[in-house]
């Protein structure tokens, strides 16, 4: 027996709905599934070299914008993610992408580098600033910024660096 329920719908306004029960797509591309395990798959050809598979977002009449790409490591065979942006209008028109953040196959995060060497690797040609903001609403003065450290499997903090006090006037 065949299932005649609609699986693809294209509205007069150009919206595309894909999946089950998709009579009224709510955006340009609306994918709906009754399963909690379904995914959207973007696949690149299998090869022994590098490959990029991802998606790109751009404005009309430009060659570049922002993109997120799965990157295969040719040495380990693992796959990580890289996020790219265009830094100005000329770069956007010419599709000159700059890698801004990477999550490599080992789980290391790089911001400003596409080759992170540590769990969190911040890199900049000039000053590199880590900014931690607490009590952004300025309501509860017991919320303070800090960095906590521990080792040897301890789940509680062994060493803290931060600001304490109701006016944030004590450094610990």
């Amino acid at each position: 027996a065949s299932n005649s329920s609609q699986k693809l719908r294209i509205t007069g306004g150009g919206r595309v709905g894909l999946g089950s029960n998709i009579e009224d797509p709510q955006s340009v591309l609306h994918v709906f599934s009754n399963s909690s395990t379904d995914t959207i798959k973007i696949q690149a050809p299998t090869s022994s070299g590098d490959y990029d598979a991802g998606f790109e977002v751009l404005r009309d009449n430009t060659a570049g914008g922002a993109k997120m790409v799965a990157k295969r490591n040719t040495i380990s065979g693992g796959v990580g993610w890289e996020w790219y942006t265009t830094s100005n209008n000329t770069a956007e028109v010419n599709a000159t992408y700059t890698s801004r953040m990477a999550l490599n196959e080992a789980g290391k995060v790089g911001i400003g580098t596409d080759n992170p060497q540590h769990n969190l690797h911040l890199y900049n040609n000039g000053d590199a600033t880590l900014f931690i903001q607490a009590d952004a609403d300025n309501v509860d003065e017991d919320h303070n910024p800090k960095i906590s450290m521990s080792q040897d499997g301890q789940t509680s903090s062994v060493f803290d660096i931060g600001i304490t006090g109701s006016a944030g006037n004590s450094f610990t």
Side-chain angles (χ1 to χ4, degrees):
S2 66
N3 184 350
S4 62
S5 66
Q6 187 176 21
K7 302 294 185 203
L8 174 67
R9 176 165 176 91
I10 302 173
T11 68
R15 292 183 175 191
V16 176
L18 182 62
S20 52
N21 301 320
I22 197 73
E23 294 179 17
D24 185 22
Q26 300 298 304
S27 61
V28 174
L29 175 61
H30 184 162
V31 180
F32 179 81
S33 171
N34 286 325
S35 171
S36 62
T37 59
D38 281 346
T39 61
I40 296 173
K41 184 181 284 189
I42 301 171
Q43 186 170 342
T46 304
S47 70
S48 60
D50 287 335
Y51 70 82
D52 293 352
F55 60 90
E56 195 169 1
V57 178
L58 13 134
R59 289 185 309 123
D60 221 5
N61 301 317
T62 62
K67 66 180 176 178
M68 188 170 122
V69 177
K71 304 279 284 185
R72 182 176 186 274
N73 182 312
T74 55
I75 297 168
S76 71
V79 177
W81 282 104
E82 282 193 43
W83 288 264
Y84 295 85
T85 64
T86 51
S87 59
N88 56 43
N89 193 53
T90 302
E92 184 181 26
V93 170
N94 297 324
T96 307
Y97 284 99
T98 302
S99 177
R100 300 297 183 183
M101 188 167 79
L103 171 62
N104 72 15
E105 68 283 353
K108 295 178 180 178
V109 175
I111 299 175
T113 179
D114 60 4
N115 187 22
Q117 300 298 305
H118 308 281
N119 292 339
L120 176 59
H121 185 162
L122 305 177
Y123 176 84
N124 192 20
N125 284 329
D127 294 338
T129 302
L130 175 64
F131 183 77
I132 302 172
Q133 183 175 9
D135 191 25
D137 60 5
N138 200 24
V139 173
D140 187 346
E141 297 306 318
D142 292 329
H143 297 154
N144 298 298
K146 71 177 181 178
I147 298 173
S148 298
M149 298 174 222
S150 69
Q151 68 180 37
D152 298 331
Q154 295 182 8
T155 57
S156 61
S157 177
V158 173
F159 181 76
D160 291 328
I161 298 172
I163 299 172
T164 62
S166 63
N169 55 6
S170 301
F171 185 75
T172 60

